[in-house]
Amino acid sequence: MNTLKPLTPICKKLILPALALAAGTLLLSCKKEPDLMEIADRIHSNVLKIDTHADTPLQMARPGFDLRDEHDPWKTGSQVDIPRMEKGELNGLFMVAYLGQGPRDSASHVAADEKMTEYFKLIHQAVADNGDKLAFAQEPKDLKAIADDGKIAIFIGMENGYPLGTDISKVRKFYDLGARYITLSHGGNNEICDSSTDPNGPEHGGLSEFGKEVVKEMNRLGMMIDVSHISDDAFYDVLEISTAPIVATHSSARALCDHPRNLTDDMIIKLAKNGGVVQVNALSAYVKTPVPNPDREADMAALRESFGPMQELTDERRDEYRAEMMKIREKYKADLATVADYVDHIDHIVNLVGIDHVGIGMDLDGGGGLADCYDISEIKNITIELVKRGYTEEAIAKIWSGNFMRVFEEIMQSGSTSVRPL
Ligand SMILES: [Zn+2]
């Protein structure tokens, strides 16, 4: 859904007589919209666009899921596939190999490593199976080269350092499988650091000793350190130890939405001073503090009640549950944050640290999704909103990819590893 609509025939009919009567203001207000749309269309096509965080492999792992099919996000929960990436004119995507935090004994770490490795294989296979549309990317320069070739560049990010266990050699292993960033933690503390959302609170007081080694190894390899999800203390520890800039691949501004997953102004300022970039998350509850809605809560409670404990559900029942949950989401779509709310975060970061330290990491297929940009096909609405607010093409190019790719390049250059062809 576009926030700006092209001039309708009715509007034209009204204007022409008005023009004859020299009703200048009406003409101006109607003329403004198509101009903005044309500008936004042109800019959106011109600039390279990359989303730095999509949990699409979670969908790809589902039986019967085909990246070549166009899915209805409200019925299937899927927010990214090839037809919709093409509709959104996306040029590059960090597909995320994600694993939630689990038990931390050595057998569980081995199992996590195996599971994570499977996700990498899944991504490689999907790119190979769709070689006419997608190409695997490892270096910043690949984005433009692949876009020039008419394809979409697929980079890999690894979400959660949990599968490293306490084995530092695993950093190199996942780098060689194509990971260009590691999100150090997810929802719970791990061997590397504290999470911003562990229900039991911090345990290391920031980075652990092993975590410090991980940061050094990532610096050595020229790998991006993703500070999304980690605790505030861990963030400051990483910033102090890392010899390269750091990135937040999917984090918003806490000043606008008070959630521990978001970055405070002080964190954003220090990250920018260090040359890094914040990729704004489009997960509604991180963009705008949810307004309590008793009807929605009652519907959700009834759904949970009728299905019973999640861990006892069969795969089939889990799919049914998911489908019912999507219906509730759609019913209360109006409660979601909007593109305008999202761009408020971009504005805030720009006002705080300038145009060079902000980008887009929507967290699609991982909880992200705005009322008027619910899947990857609708990303032009972000460009339209930026144009409406007066951002130039140069600024929009920085937001959509320039800033992130610059930081990616700098981090990679500062490492000592040459990229091996896979
Ligand atoms: Zn995440």
Side-chain angles (χ1 to χ4, degrees), residues 16 21 30 67 91 98 100 105 160 164 172 180 191 199 225 232 262 281 355 382 385 410:
L16 294 175
L21 294 169
C30 263
L67 265 181
N91 303 107
Y98 156 77
D105 55 277
N160 203 353
L164 305 179
R172 177 71 199 231
R180 289 298 169 264
E191 300 302 322
I225 300 167
D232 292 7
N262 288 339
N281 195 325
I355 190 66
I382 296 172
E385 184 65 23
E410 190 180 328

Side-chain angles (χ1 to χ4, degrees), residues 158-202:
M158 173 169 160
E159 184 166 32
N160 203 353
Y162 169 44
L164 305 179
T166 53
D167 182 351
I168 197 73
S169 73
K170 296 279 171 61
V171 179
R172 177 71 199 231
K173 173 195 157 168
F174 287 109
Y175 182 89
D176 285 341
L177 283 173
R180 289 298 169 264
Y181 67 71
I182 298 177
T183 313
L184 297 180
S185 76
H186 191 251
N189 305 334
N190 61 20
E191 300 302 322
I192 300 170
C193 63
D194 295 327
S195 162
S196 60
T197 52
D198 192 298
N200 298 319

Side-chain angles (χ1 to χ4, degrees), residues 369-406:
L370 305 164
D372 43 356
C373 186
Y374 195 67
D375 70 12
I376 202 75
S377 71
E378 297 183 298
I379 57 172
K380 195 193 284 180
N381 288 341
I382 296 172
T383 306
I384 292 168
E385 184 65 23
L386 291 168
V387 170
K388 272 169 78 176
R389 295 191 189 195
Y391 283 85
T392 63
E393 178 164 343
E394 191 192 353
I396 293 170
K398 286 183 175 191
I399 293 167
W400 262 121
S401 66
N403 290 335
F404 187 84
M405 300 317 278
R406 183 196 72 239

Side-chain angles (χ1 to χ4, degrees), residues 281-329:
N281 195 325
L283 195 148
S284 185
Y286 303 161
V287 174
K288 192 181 73 173
T289 304
V291 178
N293 183 333
D295 292 341
R296 186 188 60 216
E297 303 311 325
D299 281 1
M300 279 304 293
L303 177 69
R304 282 192 292 266
E305 175 81 11
S306 67
F307 276 79
M310 281 304 284
Q311 61 272 23
E312 291 172 19
L313 299 183
T314 61
D315 285 353
E316 210 169 63
R317 285 290 284 165
R318 226 174 254 225
D319 276 351
E320 286 168 20
Y321 175 87
R322 194 184 174 84
E324 291 303 315
M325 197 177 72
M326 292 314 298
K327 281 183 199 160
I328 296 174
R329 263 201 173 194

Side-chain angles (χ1 to χ4, degrees), residues 3-313:
T3 47
L4 285 170
K5 291 193 174 64
L7 202 61
T8 62
I10 293 171
C11 187
K12 278 179 189 157
K13 267 184 212 158
L14 286 172
I15 289 172
L16 294 175
L19 177 63
L21 294 169
T25 38
L26 178 61
L27 176 67
L28 206 66
S29 66
C30 263
K31 197 170 172 239
K32 211 172 151 194
E33 291 197 355
D35 282 353
L36 273 178
M37 279 301 289
E38 281 164 23
I39 293 166
D41 276 351
R42 196 189 65 238
I43 293 177
H44 194 73
S45 296
N46 282 353
V47 304
L48 285 172
K49 296 158 293 290
I50 189 165
D51 181 328
T52 59
H53 198 96
D55 291 281
T56 307
L58 287 178
Q59 292 288 336
M60 286 151 59
R62 290 158 64 87
F65 183 88
D66 189 340
L67 265 181
R68 297 183 90 87
D69 291 342
E70 181 165 350
H71 301 79
D72 179 338
W74 297 107
K75 290 198 166 58
T76 64
S78 155
Q79 294 169 303
V80 177
D81 50 41
I82 291 170
R84 286 179 292 163
M85 286 194 274
E86 289 180 339
K87 274 189 185 168
E89 300 177 60
L90 190 76
N91 303 107
L93 182 72
F94 269 82
M95 276 195 184
V96 171
Y98 156 77
L99 210 60
Q101 189 56 49
R104 287 162 52 190
D105 55 277
S106 54
S108 301
H109 285 139
V110 170
D113 178 10
E114 283 169 5
K115 181 90 182 138
M116 184 57 94
T117 306
E118 286 303 312
Y119 276 118
F120 277 76
K121 287 184 188 161
L122 182 73
I123 297 169
H124 284 286
Q125 191 61 50
V127 174
D129 288 347
N130 297 285
D132 57 330
K133 302 279 189 185
L134 311 176
F136 183 57
Q138 298 199 73
E139 297 179 72
K141 66 178 168 58
D142 295 343
L143 176 66
K144 185 169 185 313
I146 291 168
D148 286 347
D149 202 25
K151 296 181 186 179
I152 299 163
I154 303 297
F155 293 88
I156 303 182
M158 173 169 160
E159 184 166 32
N160 203 353
Y162 169 44
L164 305 179
T166 53
D167 182 351
I168 197 73
S169 73
K170 296 279 171 61
V171 179
R172 177 71 199 231
K173 173 195 157 168
F174 287 109
Y175 182 89
D176 285 341
L177 283 173
R180 289 298 169 264
Y181 67 71
I182 298 177
T183 313
L184 297 180
S185 76
H186 191 251
N189 305 334
N190 61 20
E191 300 302 322
I192 300 170
C193 63
D194 295 327
S195 162
S196 60
T197 52
D198 192 298
N200 298 319
E203 120 187 18
H204 307 290
L207 271 177
S208 69
E209 286 307 311
F210 176 67
K212 291 175 188 169
E213 293 307 309
V214 170
V215 168
K216 286 179 193 160
E217 176 67 357
M218 290 176 76
N219 282 162
R220 190 183 72 77
L221 294 172
M223 200 174 187
M224 290 182 279
I225 300 167
D226 180 12
V227 295
S228 291
H229 283 288
I230 72 175
S231 74
D232 292 7
D233 285 339
F235 169 92
Y236 287 112
D237 282 353
V238 174
L239 202 64
E240 195 183 313
I241 291 166
S242 176
T243 53
I246 59 176
V247 301
T249 67
H250 59 308
S251 290
S252 305
R254 206 180 294 174
L256 300 191
C257 181
D258 189 11
H259 193 287
R261 267 289 280 110
N262 288 339
L263 304 176
T264 65
D265 285 356
D266 184 65
M267 291 159 93
I268 294 168
I269 290 167
K270 293 205 164 98
L271 178 144
K273 240 184 204 158
N274 198 45
V277 63
V278 180
Q279 304 289 104
V280 178
N281 195 325
L283 195 148
S284 185
Y286 303 161
V287 174
K288 192 181 73 173
T289 304
V291 178
N293 183 333
D295 292 341
R296 186 188 60 216
E297 303 311 325
D299 281 1
M300 279 304 293
L303 177 69
R304 282 192 292 266
E305 175 81 11
S306 67
F307 276 79
M310 281 304 284
Q311 61 272 23
E312 291 172 19
L313 299 183

